[in-house]
Amino acid sequence: MTGPPAPPGNRWLPVISLTLLAAAAAALITATQERTQQRIADNEAAEMMKGLAAVLPDGDYDNQPYRDRIMVVDAELLGSNDPQPVYRVRKSGRPVAAVIAVTARNGYVGPIRLLVGISASGTVTGVRVVTHRETPGLGDRIEAKKSNWLSIFAGHSATRPDYDQWLVKRDGGDFDQMTGATVTSRSVVSAVRDAVRYFQEHRDTIFE
Amino acid sequence: MNYRQIFTDGLWWNNPGLVQLLGICPLLAVSNTLINGLGLGIATIAVLCGTNGLVSLMKSWIPHEIRLPAFVLIIASFVTIVELLSKAYFYQLYLSLGIFIPLIVTNCTILARAESFASRMPVLPSIADGLANGIGFALLLTVLGAMREVIGQGSLFAGAGMLFGTLGDAMKLSIGPDGSGLLLAVLPPGAFFGLAILIAIRNHLAREPDPERARQPVQ
């Protein structure tokens, strides 16, 4: 049973106990946070690396792309007003590829965040979804573990197909849409197209 | 109060989801597949045991007037620390269950058990009560998740890799082709229909009131 109501003389007791409790909780959380910070950062970096490796060809690089990162802003092509990371992938210091974080703004439910791997010559090496809220069973097949639809982009570039063919087949373009999820497919196709175009326009500044 | 009664209460007579209708927000949101339901269920069991034990330990130092803010503070701190520790030392587990942790904070079952049980009882029965209510909630989530997944997606154990690694990926059962099924079941309305059906079934099975229980007021 919690304590009885405080007698009148003790009316500050609740205030004092709550303050003490809050201070103790804050101290405990701060201590835990300080002790775990480094391990958490290492774990997240390793997980990030796995994500980046998924959109790159195997082992063709020797740097740690998640540390070799620049932040760029291009609201039109990258789909976000905030700075977006571009990870630079190198072998013996020479550019091999870049991984661009791009947001497809017009998903069916909300924005879809993607990582697009692009080789130094401008060819897509892989695409993965980072976050999305598409419909389970329909639009969520953009996840690599649910279907391999995203693999249709590998090998394409800014000129293959032509810019105006970077559309789903229903709109007269070159890419199959996922059945029942045309809106999702359409937004991903245009986001990948814009990432490729961004890379083509900024290749030299990216690897500076 | 004996342990047997604590468990029959948590699982059946006073099940937090089916009878008290607590924690409906995370329950409806996450029960779209069996694995999601099981994941939130396991995370809830762990948190409920911990917070019930802590609240019971600290009950005599907490003045009556401020017990609710104090419980909220204890629960929130405990959940935050569990999240940090699992992120640092059990990262794979965090990746599978971590997304459920913020949802647990919105689960009023936790505060309800702290107030109605742990703040009046010794530590061990409090932990047992957390375990019982957690299991009751987890079972409901898992059954509801399985129902919605089978009807909505025609599969079972989809995404088991999230909890069980590569072993889990092989567990997925498909009933009918991918994408078949009544989509409504996976969408939010399906959660309400599913929960309503389960509550109706439980009420039907429990319609003969336990003579012992009938004399006691509902907690």
Side-chain angles (χ1 to χ4, degrees), chain B:
Chain B
M1 173 156 295
N2 60 29
Y3 287 96
R4 191 192 157 83
Q5 196 187 340
I6 290 177
F7 277 91
T8 49
D9 263 4
L11 290 176
W12 184 251
W13 296 112
N14 210 9
N15 182 302
L18 276 178
V19 181
Q20 303 183 65
L21 300 184
L22 291 175
I24 297 297
C25 156
L27 181 126
L28 295 178
V30 179
S31 63
N32 54 355
T33 67
L34 187 156
I35 291 297
N36 274 348
L38 186 64
L40 178 65
I42 294 172
T44 307
I45 294 173
V47 169
L48 205 46
C49 289
T51 55
N52 259 11
L54 266 179
V55 165
S56 173
L57 269 178
M58 300 177 71
K59 61 182 182 290
S60 49
W61 303 330
I62 298 171
H64 186 75
E65 299 86 343
I66 55 154
R67 67 191 190 288
L68 288 182
F71 294 162
V72 171
L73 195 60
I74 293 171
I75 293 167
S77 316
F78 179 77
V79 171
T80 309
I81 288 173
V82 166
E83 185 175 8
L84 284 170
L85 290 178
S86 62
K87 237 172 159 172
Y89 297 100
F90 307 99
Y91 195 64
Q92 287 311 313
L93 190 71
Y94 172 78
L95 287 181
S96 48
L97 293 184
I99 47 167
F100 301 118
I101 292 179
L103 280 170
I104 293 176
V105 180
T106 68
N107 189 339
C108 31
T109 310
I110 314 252
L111 188 60
R113 294 327 293 169
E115 158 69 6
S116 67
F117 196 100
S119 69
R120 297 148 209 261
M121 292 289 187
V123 176
L124 278 183
S126 296
I127 295 177
D129 178 74
L131 188 64
N133 279 275
I135 294 176
F137 191 67
L139 279 177
L140 169 63
L141 267 168
T142 311
V143 172
L144 184 57
M147 259 172 65
R148 292 178 65 191
E149 188 181 346
V150 168
I151 299 172
Q153 274 174 247
S155 69
L156 210 51
F157 295 108
M162 239 170 53
L163 289 185
F164 306 112
T166 41
L167 186 77
D169 289 330
M171 284 167 67
K172 181 177 170 181
L173 302 174
S174 289
I175 306 150
D178 236 24
S180 67
L182 185 65
L183 189 62
L184 182 73
V186 188
L187 296 177
F192 285 97
F193 290 130
L195 181 63
I197 291 168
L198 290 177
I199 291 174
I201 294 174
R202 187 217 161 266
N203 285 350
H204 180 75
L205 294 176
R207 71 195 180 287
E208 291 295 328
D210 182 331
E212 191 97 4
R213 298 280 311 178
R215 272 182 260 120
Q216 290 179 13
V218 176
Q219 286 193 15

Side-chain angles (χ1 to χ4, degrees), chain A residues 9 11 14 28 37 41 53 55 60 75 78 80 84-85 108 121 123 129 132 137 165-166 168 187 193 198-200 205:
Chain A
R11 65 201 158 108
L28 211 58
Q37 213 165 21
V55 298
D60 240 6
L78 300 183
S80 168
Q84 296 291 306
Y108 190 69
S121 59
T123 314
V129 174
H132 76 89
Q165 290 297 301
W166 273 87
V168 293
S187 79
R193 176 197 66 203
Y198 180 88
F199 182 81
Q200 191 196 21
T205 46

